[in-house]
């Protein structure tokens, strides 16, 4: 269509009629009236409305739909079954835990003057190797990347890299997180937490932050992210001061599912144990798909299996797993 709009054809007026012709009939060559033309165009209005609606819908970004979908409630939450119980050092303030192969664990412990990195035999809880850290450091999260152990420390942007076979060989690094809490890896990047609702993606070569993700559940921030483990394309995170593990998608930071472990605390209390702290520590043996958990000052290391939770447990997730930001 030309920019000047439709060009109307001129209608040549009929010749004046003489009185003698008034009784003659009107010829069929008379052009249609304006009303008739308008009536014909009415048939196109519904089509125009449909086309405009289609254009409007197509203009909505697909990202909007993805954002809406990411707020959906997880498909399933889980409770746990204890498969095995193993001895665990009740003096170990567990801050990082990971499977070391051959039925052993690597563990990072906290508290000033007591922090350490250790290798432990699972069946007996025996400490096979131990490096005691300088008294000025408070040990935190630990992960294994290409035969080297990476450890962060609390309230300092300082961490250490150890030879997995000789803890006396180590080097220091600095990182860009606000604090050092948890560490895990997918074999390509490191994932880190600082006690906030942020999941960091870190380059293990230079410890630079590659990406920061806000961790959310149904559109609400999940604070107090603590110890981490990477399991089957998910980042699992202990949430401080809760008996919950969040299963986080590293693609978008959304908590897909929750694991509820309150039965472990109840079991310890029922056994007369009360000198223990919070749940903290997740380890995965990917070769046999075994999952282990423990806590700070816990006398037990547990091998667990997951089972779907009863429906009524879904409604209180925000109450039991998502406290406000914890301030030290």
């Amino acid at each position: 269509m030309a920019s000047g709009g439709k060009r109307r054809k001129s209608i040549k007026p009929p010749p004046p009629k003489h009185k003698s012709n008034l009784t003659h009939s009107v010829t069929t060559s008379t052009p249609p009236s304006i009303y008739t033309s308008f009536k014909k165009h009415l048939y196109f209005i519904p089509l125009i409305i449909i086309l405009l609606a289609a254009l409007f819908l197509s203009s909505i970004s697909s990202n909007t739909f993805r954002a809406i979908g990411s707020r959906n409630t997880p498909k399933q939450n889980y409770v746990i079954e204890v498969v095995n119980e193993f001895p665990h050092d009740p003096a170990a303030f567990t801050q990082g835990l990971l499977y070391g192969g051959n039925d052993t664990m690597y563990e990072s412990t906290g508290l000033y003057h007591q922090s350490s990195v250790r290798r432990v035999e699972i069946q007996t809880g025996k400490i096979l190797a131990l490096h005691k850290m300088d008294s000025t450091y408070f040990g935190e999260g630990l992960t294994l990347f290409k035969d080297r152990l990476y450890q962060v420390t609390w309230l300092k942007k300082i961490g250490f890299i150890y030879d997995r076979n000789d803890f006396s060989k180590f080097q220091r690094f600095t990182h860009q997180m606000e604090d050092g809490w948890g560490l895990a890896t997918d074999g390509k990047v490191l994932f880190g937490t600082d006690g906030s609702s942020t999941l960091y993606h870190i380059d293990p070569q230079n410890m630079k932050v590659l990406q920061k993700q806000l961790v959310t559940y149904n559109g609400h921030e999940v604070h107090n992210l603590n110890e981490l483990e990477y399991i089957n394309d998910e980042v699992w995170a202990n949430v401080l001061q809760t008996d919950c593990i969040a299963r986080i998608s590293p693609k978008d930071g959304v908590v897909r599912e929750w694991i509820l472990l309150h039965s472990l605390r109840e079991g310890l209390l029922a056994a007369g144990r009360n000198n223990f702290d919070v749940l903290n520590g997740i380890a995965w043996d990917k070769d046999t798909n075994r999952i282990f958990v423990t806590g700070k000052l816990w006398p037990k290391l547990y091998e667990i299996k997951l089972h779907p939770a009863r429906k009524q447990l879904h409604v209180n997730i925000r109450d039991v797993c998502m406290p406000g930001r914890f301030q030290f």
Side-chain angles (χ1 to χ4, degrees):
M1 184 188 298
S3 61
K6 286 185 176 179
R7 185 174 298 170
R8 293 186 179 181
K9 293 182 179 179
S10 61
I11 302 175
K12 186 176 181 180
K17 296 175 180 175
H18 299 284
K19 289 181 181 180
S20 60
N21 295 330
L22 289 177
T23 57
H24 294 178
S25 62
V26 179
T27 62
T28 56
S29 61
T30 304
S33 66
I34 295 176
Y35 171 77
T36 304
S37 177
F38 175 74
K39 188 175 180 181
K40 289 181 178 179
H41 283 83
L42 285 177
Y43 293 111
F44 294 98
I45 291 176
L47 179 59
I48 292 171
I49 292 173
I50 293 171
L51 289 174
L52 289 174
L55 288 172
F56 173 75
L57 290 174
S58 66
S59 67
I60 299 177
S61 170
S62 60
N63 290 331
T64 303
F65 290 108
R66 283 197 294 268
I68 294 171
S70 68
R71 292 171 178 264
N72 288 343
T73 303
K75 294 179 180 179
Q76 183 66 65
N77 296 321
Y78 294 88
V79 292
I80 58 102
E81 172 195 352
V82 175
V83 178
N84 285 303
E85 296 183 8
F86 305 103
H88 181 254
D89 181 1
F93 201 74
T94 305
Q95 301 286 59
L97 188 72
L98 61 110
Y99 185 71
N102 298 318
D103 266 355
T104 64
M105 288 285 177
Y106 288 111
E107 188 170 2
S108 170
T109 69
L111 299 177
Y112 292 111
H113 302 280
Q114 299 181 45
S115 293
S116 69
V117 175
R118 56 183 69 181
R119 191 165 187 247
V120 181
E121 186 175 66
I122 292 176
Q123 295 290 333
T124 64
K126 179 181 177 181
I127 299 173
L128 303 176
L130 183 141
H131 168 74
K132 189 172 182 180
M133 300 171 66
D134 186 275
S135 62
T136 59
Y137 292 110
F138 192 115
E140 283 282 351
L142 185 75
T143 195
L144 180 65
F145 180 82
K146 294 184 178 179
D147 288 329
R148 299 198 299 174
L149 293 165
Y150 286 68
Q151 180 196 40
V152 287
T153 60
W154 187 46
L155 299 180
K156 300 178 189 290
K157 296 186 178 183
I158 293 172
F160 299 95
I161 302 173
Y162 302 88
D163 183 309
R164 67 177 295 179
N165 298 310
D166 186 352
F167 296 158
S168 66
K169 297 179 180 179
F170 64 91
Q171 61 189 83
R172 200 174 87 159
F173 66 81
T174 59
H175 60 80
Q176 297 176 325
M177 296 187 292
E178 293 301 316
D179 197 357
W181 283 43
L183 279 182
T185 183
D186 63 355
K188 298 176 183 177
V189 302
L190 304 183
F191 299 102
T193 56
D194 57 10
S196 68
S197 55
T198 300
L199 180 68
Y200 294 84
H201 296 225
I202 302 168
D203 185 338
Q205 303 303 324
N206 54 26
M207 301 307 293
K208 302 294 184 184
V209 172
L210 302 172
Q211 182 182 358
K212 292 194 290 185
Q213 288 175 323
L214 188 66
V215 176
T216 61
Y217 169 74
N218 283 353
H220 299 277
E221 291 183 44
V222 180
H223 300 284
N224 312 311
L225 298 174
N226 202 3
E227 208 268 340
L228 301 177
E229 182 65 88
Y230 184 83
I231 301 177
N232 286 331
D233 300 323
E234 295 177 332
V235 177
W236 291 21
N238 284 120
V239 179
L240 184 65
Q241 301 294 345
T242 77
D243 295 316
C244 304
I245 292 174
R247 296 173 62 169
I248 305 166
S249 167
K251 295 180 180 179
D252 55 16
V254 172
V255 176
R256 302 300 188 189
E257 296 165 329
W258 291 90
I259 304 170
L260 309 177
L261 302 97
H262 57 283
S263 60
L264 297 181
R265 175 180 295 275
E266 292 171 356
L268 288 173
L269 290 172
R273 304 277 190 172
N274 43 35
N275 294 321
F276 62 94
D277 209 300
V278 298
L279 177 78
N280 201 46
I282 312 166
W284 180 47
D285 174 6
K286 64 180 180 180
D287 293 330
T288 60
N289 202 31
R290 291 185 296 171
I291 301 169
F292 301 89
V293 296
T294 190
K296 302 177 183 182
L297 309 179
W298 281 31
K300 298 283 187 180
L301 172 73
Y302 299 93
E303 180 188 347
I304 62 170
K305 282 187 177 180
L306 307 186
H307 295 286
R310 297 187 304 271
K311 185 175 292 186
Q312 59 263 35
L313 290 177
H314 288 235
V315 295
N316 295 319
I317 287 295
R318 287 190 62 192
D319 295 331
V320 301
C321 297
M322 297 173 60
R325 177 76 183 269
F326 192 80
Q327 300 293 334
F328 287 95

